Amino acid sequence: EPEVTQTPSHQVTQMGQEVILRCVPISNHLYFYWYRQILGQKVEFLVSFYNNEISEKSEIFDDQFSVERPDGSNFTLKIRSTKLEDSAMYFCASSGGTGSYEQYFGPGTRLTVT
Amino acid sequence: AQSVTQLDSQVPVFEEAPVELRCNYSSSVSVYLFWYVQYPNQGLQLLLKYLSGSTLVKGINGFEAEFNKSQTSFHLRKPSVHISDTAEYFCAVSDPNPGRRALTFGSGTRLQVQP
């Protein structure tokens, strides 16, 4: 069964460093998403991406965040200058065409900023 | 703006007993509703969804949920739970507008099934 994959599973970085989180969505899906879950808190939406552009973003997704689909399979989230409060589990998700609303989630990348 | 409230942070239950996990939502527009499950150290797995039609929806692993528009609720039920159902359960809503698919999640309910 096709699934969303994410790498790495755990990333440790120092404050101020740039990190790139990688995701491979399900191959025929058209919509891509990033969510995050700070320990003990809700899962929060960051951004959605469709047709090579951002279709929706939350207040959390400020100028230090960016997303890219560099090729036909990867979808990345870049954090330019990490802060302690960026420590969280980051989930990638994807969904199919216009009539498909189910989002399929990857296993997540745990980002720890020290 | 949409919001989701899961009233119970933890629900302990004995194996083979029935369980109901409560979810209420708030929205100024119609919504699509979802339940996801998260097993330890894993991602979120879709249990079931309500988009339209019958208000009683059935999902995987014997779970079902009922959409109640007047009470703005979407409670999750299972008639007989197993130890393997121990997990975190998240209720979520989204806007039906195809351009606004972001999921808004509740804070989760930890289901603890005891032998």
Side-chain angles (χ1 to χ4, degrees), chain B residues 43-92:
Chain B
L44 298 162
Q45 181 182 4
L46 180 66
L47 270 180
L48 48 76
K49 65 182 184 291
Y50 173 80
L51 305 182
S52 65
S54 173
T55 57
L56 182 64
V57 292
K58 295 188 183 297
I60 62 171
N61 301 340
F63 284 94
E64 64 180 32
E66 185 153 21
F67 169 57
N68 188 319
K69 188 175 182 179
S70 63
Q71 296 188 6
T72 60
S73 68
F74 191 54
H75 300 332
L76 181 71
R77 296 192 290 258
K78 186 168 182 178
S80 176
V81 294
H82 301 131
I83 296 285
S84 59
D85 292 324
T86 295
E88 188 96 19
Y89 291 80
F90 294 94
C91 182

Side-chain angles (χ1 to χ4, degrees), chain A residues 39-74:
Chain A
L39 189 64
Q41 297 186 25
K42 293 183 181 184
V43 177
E44 302 171 291
F45 168 75
L46 293 178
V47 65
S48 61
F49 193 84
Y50 170 71
N51 199 25
N52 284 322
E53 60 184 23
I54 291 173
S55 52
E56 193 178 5
K57 62 182 181 179
S58 72
E59 293 174 352
I60 303 168
F61 194 86
D62 60 22
D63 290 344
Q64 71 160 345
F65 291 94
S66 62
V67 289
E68 191 179 28
R69 188 155 163 81
D71 52 42
S73 59
N74 290 282

